[in-house]
Amino acid sequence: MTPSMKGFFINFFLILSSFSSSYASIFTITNNCPHPIWPGTLSGAGTPPLPTTGFQLESGQSVRLPSTPGWSGRIWGRTGCNFDESGIGKCQTGDCGGRLECDGNGATPPASLFEITVGIGDDKDFYDVSIVDGYNLPLIVVPRGVYGPCNATGCASDLNLGCPKELQVVGGESGGVIACKSACEAFGLDQYCCSGQFSNPNTCHPSIYSSIFKHACPKAYSYAYDDGTSTFTCKAYDYTILFCPDENAGSKKKATNETISTPPGVEEPSNGEFIHLVSSSTILQLLPFPLPILLFIIINLLF
């Protein structure tokens, strides 16, 4: 290799390495439900929106969305949606302002939520699945760690099947239960909403309703101060967000830890279709190990 070529490669790899401090995650959203869903995304204050804030995802399809360092926000699934050609319409659950693209609007409760703050540089990500605002779809989240395994989390159980009557949202073509409200939304009482005199962890405790949710989904947030067993940290290059994880097995039973760890279709759904909404800049985020290690290996091979 000539000196000029060596210089080119060194400069090229130094430029690439400068991007490693801006490392961010990919969100791989997979619809394993037997019906379409309409994922929505909401960015936290001070962070830019993802490439899309709302779209339709057919059964068996997946979408990859790149985030940015420091991104925080929520991702959820909407059901029973009907939009016109201009993107105006309504969803039966998880609606966000009556539009296909949520454009800064959050999910109307009840809705199952994936929440995350992506770390900057080597800082870890903080993530959880929340049913504090109620529940509409089962989902699990499986991170692929940069430095090793990370904890999967979520709510794989179908809470609609066992939702107490006073929390049920009924609708759809069959007139069945399509969502399960939180006790806060259903009754509006401070003790359920962790507000007023109950606005701190010393006075706000699990209710009989949040305990039902927690028993079915032990890794998910069930009420406002459920941090200890529901918030996880990781440095991940990909978060697979899988809706209806048990559908392939035809099971509506409560998921075991083994089911959450190795859900069907997480790696690459065999009968699925990937819709690529990923910019070319995200190729660095798909590397199987940290970029500085890759650079060290390549430079040593070259010289």
Side-chain angles (χ1 to χ4, degrees):
M1 181 179 292
T2 65
S4 61
M5 291 180 66
K6 289 181 180 179
F8 168 80
F9 277 109
I10 290 173
N11 289 329
F12 176 71
F13 290 128
L14 287 175
I15 292 172
L16 285 181
S17 67
S18 69
F19 289 122
S20 65
S21 62
S22 300
Y23 187 92
S25 300
I26 298 289
F27 301 130
T28 302
I29 305 172
T30 297
N31 178 16
N32 200 50
C33 305
H35 52 75
I37 63 172
W38 288 259
T41 72
L42 174 66
S43 299
T47 61
L50 295 179
T52 176
T53 61
F55 55 96
Q56 182 172 342
L57 195 62
E58 297 293 340
S59 178
Q61 288 184 335
S62 294
V63 163
R64 291 191 178 110
L65 301 178
S67 68
T68 55
W71 188 85
S72 66
R74 296 175 164 185
I75 297 174
W76 70 97
R78 295 170 286 174
T79 64
C81 301
N82 188 10
F83 298 105
D84 62 21
E85 293 181 356
S86 62
I88 304 298
K90 192 171 180 61
C91 298
Q92 292 177 342
T93 72
D95 193 64
C96 58
R99 300 186 61 89
L100 175 61
E101 290 265 358
C102 294
D103 293 327
N105 294 307
T108 300
S112 317
L113 305 171
F114 169 57
E115 304 174 314
I116 187 171
T117 296
V118 177
I120 299 176
D122 291 329
D123 293 341
K124 289 186 176 181
D125 312 329
F126 288 81
Y127 62 98
D128 65 78
V129 168
S130 174
I131 48 179
V132 174
D133 292 334
Y135 166 100
N136 68 332
L137 282 171
L139 79 154
I140 61 171
V141 177
V142 182
R144 299 179 184 181
V146 174
Y147 306 114
C150 299
N151 286 313
T153 186
C155 184
S157 299
D158 189 345
L159 299 185
N160 292 335
L161 294 178
C163 182
K165 188 173 180 59
E166 57 270 32
L167 305 184
Q168 293 178 1
V169 177
V170 178
E173 295 180 1
S174 64
V177 178
I178 58 174
C180 192
K181 296 179 183 179
S182 67
C184 174
E185 183 188 1
F187 307 118
L189 300 177
D190 288 350
Q191 68 192 75
Y192 294 134
C193 299
C194 291
S195 57
Q197 63 177 320
F198 299 96
S199 59
N200 66 78
N202 295 322
T203 57
C204 188
H205 302 291
S207 68
I208 185 174
Y209 296 106
S210 67
S211 296
I212 293 173
F213 290 173
K214 192 65 175 179
H215 178 73
C217 301
K219 290 188 175 182
Y221 254 96
S222 59
Y223 78 106
Y225 296 106
D226 193 14
D227 305 70
T229 59
S230 306
T231 301
F232 300 92
T233 61
C234 177
K235 191 63 183 176
Y237 63 91
D238 178 275
Y239 286 88
T240 292
I241 305 163
L242 180 63
F243 290 94
C244 303
D246 284 338
E247 289 293 342
N248 278 349
S251 173
K252 294 293 184 178
K253 298 179 181 179
K254 179 178 179 290
T256 63
N257 289 335
E258 289 75 17
T259 302
I260 290 179
S261 299
T262 56
V266 163
E267 291 298 323
E268 293 288 343
S270 59
N271 60 345
E273 174 187 351
F274 276 89
I275 304 172
H276 295 282
L277 300 181
V278 183
S279 65
S280 59
S281 64
T282 61
I283 187 170
L284 296 177
Q285 300 161 358
L286 298 175
L287 297 174
F289 38 78
L291 185 58
I293 297 176
L294 176 67
L295 300 180
F296 177 81
I297 294 171
I298 294 178
I299 289 175
N300 276 277
L301 288 174
L302 289 174
F303 307 110

